[in-house]
Each structure stands twice: as C-alpha cells, then as structure tokens.
Amino acid sequence: MAKKKKPKFNKGDTVVIIMYGTVGNITDVQFMDGAYVYEVNHSEGLYMESTLQHISEFEGEILQETEKIDIEYKFFFGDLVSVDGYGQDYFKVVGFRTEIWRYKENAWEDVIYELSRISDGEWLEAHEEELTLVADAESADTFIQKLGLLFPINKKTGKKEINPTSSFNTRKAEKEQLQERYEKKQMIDGLLDLYNDYLFLYETFGDEEYKKVKGLVLNKIKKLSSELYKTPKNSSSK
C-alpha cells in the first residue's frame, strides 16, 4: 500500500494566496479526495496546494491593504427616538453596532440600533434610517415627563395597569416575530456556507456557472439581511 504523502504546508506556516497576493497563516489541514486542502486565517473556504506558496518562496507583489472605515452615528446612548411603524411609541437608544459585510465583489455596512420602549421596556432593533430623533439624551427625561408617557403604577400591587388581553396579543405577536428572525438568521448562515462553497469551486475551476450561482446566493443573503432588521408595521393600525 502506497504511503500517503506529507502535506506541503503545516499549521502555523505563513503563506501567500497566489491569486490575491495576500498573506495568511495555515490554521487547519485536511485530506480530501486524495489531496490536501488548507484553511487560511480560519476562513470558511479551503485552498488547494496549487493556490498557495510559502511566503519565503513568493516572488510576486504582496498586497498589504488596510481598510479604514469612517462611520458617522446619528444617534447615541440615551437619545429618545421614534420608529417607523410604531406610531406614537417612543424608544431610548441603549446600544448600537455596525455590521460589516465584505465579499470579493461586494461590500456594505449596516448600522443597527438597540432600543428600549419607554412605555414597557420592550427591546427592539432597528436600522438607522427607520429612526427619527425626538430628544437628545440630555433632554429626553424632561420630554418624557412632560408628555406623561409612562404607564400609571397601581400603588397596591406595584404592577403596571395594562389590559391582559392586549398584553397577551402583544406577547404572541412578538414571539412570532422573534421566531421569524431566528429562521432568517439560520437561512443566512446556511447561505453563507453555500456562498463559500461556490466561491471555492469558482476560484479552483474558473467555471462561469459557479460564478453565476454564487452571485445569486449573495443577492439572497443581502435581501435576507435587509429583511432581518426591517421594522414590522404596527399590526393594530388599519
């Protein structure tokens, strides 16, 4: 029985991805279909030996590109905002994050704000373009007091005076929305795996059909990621 050949690269080796001229470290080595394939910088895709070269042997130009992203946030902690589709409900900004999406042929950034509803503390995520500033952090509490936005408190029980039927319907709707969000996140994860598979096939074989499919998958990812943070319309409005 023939002895299996040793891999050309080992974990920790510094290599150049020839087609890009970018430098990375081998983070995993696998033997598939009679050939070694390599993971670089914990990437989702795998690279064949022919697509890599030891950095000491590489004679081409090494690309050392550093991306600088300037993001201007429109809202900050404590700001009071309204949200498209939520009528006269007001929310305070309790957090925000930027999701950076980078692919070989596409790039975009999403700014997502985490909010707490003033009336009951319910949590919500929304895109920047869905928000309107009502009052900045310094004047937010004064604005709330003037409008009397807080629910009255029952002195005997210390509980909010809310309609049980309305509360049940709200909870049910929110549960359905959370389930829908979870399912969309699962779909995005699966599509990302599929995109990386077709990216690897296209980079390995250069077949235009692989390129076409990965483009379709990427469009679906962008559509789902946009829908994921789209604020649902108030179901009580007609």
Side-chain angles (χ1 to χ4, degrees):
M1 183 176 178
K3 187 177 179 180
K4 186 168 68 174
K5 68 173 185 177
K6 293 183 178 180
K8 182 177 179 181
F9 309 103
N10 299 304
K11 282 186 180 181
D13 286 357
T14 301
V15 298
V16 178
I17 304 173
I18 298 172
M19 66 183 72
Y20 303 135
T22 54
V23 177
N25 292 320
I26 301 295
T27 50
D28 192 22
V29 181
Q30 299 181 28
F31 190 75
M32 299 172 57
D33 298 328
Y36 286 103
V37 289
Y38 302 87
E39 176 189 83
V40 180
N41 292 342
H42 300 286
S43 62
E44 292 288 343
L46 297 172
Y47 295 88
M48 300 180 69
E49 284 189 351
S50 60
T51 65
L52 304 174
Q53 194 169 9
H54 279 292
I55 190 170
S56 59
E57 301 173 354
F58 186 69
E59 297 180 353
E61 181 180 354
I62 294 177
L63 179 64
Q64 296 182 338
E65 182 177 332
T66 301
E67 181 180 15
K68 181 180 179 181
I69 303 175
D70 293 321
I71 298 175
E72 182 178 347
Y73 295 101
K74 295 182 179 179
F75 310 98
F76 295 94
F77 299 113
D79 285 353
L80 188 68
V81 298
S82 61
V83 182
D84 291 349
Y86 279 82
Q88 296 302 310
D89 286 348
Y90 296 100
F91 298 79
K92 264 194 176 183
V93 176
V94 296
F96 51 88
R97 68 181 186 272
T98 302
E99 296 185 350
I100 301 173
W101 302 78
R102 291 293 181 269
Y103 297 92
K104 184 179 178 181
E105 299 171 351
N106 297 82
W108 70 93
E109 299 85 35
D110 285 330
V111 178
I112 310 298
Y113 286 86
E114 298 178 10
L115 312 170
S116 176
R117 187 157 56 188
I118 296 301
S119 59
D120 55 9
E122 287 296 329
W123 179 82
L124 178 71
E125 285 187 348
H127 278 292
E128 191 170 72
E129 59 269 19
E130 297 175 300
L131 306 182
T132 301
L133 182 66
V134 177
D136 60 24
E138 290 186 5
S139 56
D141 289 340
T142 302
F143 182 89
I144 292 169
Q145 291 173 2
K146 286 182 176 179
L147 292 187
L149 295 175
L150 297 178
F151 280 125
I153 302 296
N154 186 309
K155 293 183 180 180
K156 293 182 179 180
T157 63
K159 295 181 180 179
K160 297 175 182 178
E161 296 178 353
I162 56 178
N163 186 309
T165 302
S166 175
S167 177
F168 173 79
N169 291 334
T170 299
R171 293 287 182 182
K172 182 178 179 182
E174 290 173 349
K175 184 177 180 181
E176 291 174 352
Q177 290 171 11
L178 288 174
Q179 179 63 28
E180 183 179 353
R181 286 171 56 80
Y182 172 78
E183 291 174 355
K184 286 183 178 179
K185 286 184 177 180
Q186 292 293 100
M187 289 179 65
I188 289 175
D189 288 343
L191 287 169
L192 284 171
D193 290 338
L194 186 62
Y195 174 86
N196 285 316
D197 289 342
Y198 276 96
L199 176 62
F200 170 70
L201 290 171
Y202 175 66
E203 291 177 345
T204 303
F205 302 106
D207 192 319
E208 288 297 316
E209 191 64 27
Y210 294 140
K211 182 179 180 180
K212 180 180 179 181
V213 174
K214 75 181 182 68
L216 293 174
V217 173
L218 183 59
N219 288 337
K220 184 64 175 178
I221 291 172
K222 292 174 67 175
K223 183 175 184 295
L224 282 173
S225 65
S226 176
E227 292 176 353
L228 186 60
Y229 299 106
K230 183 178 181 181
T231 307
K233 295 296 182 182
N234 192 328
S235 58
S236 63
S237 62
K238 294 183 180 179

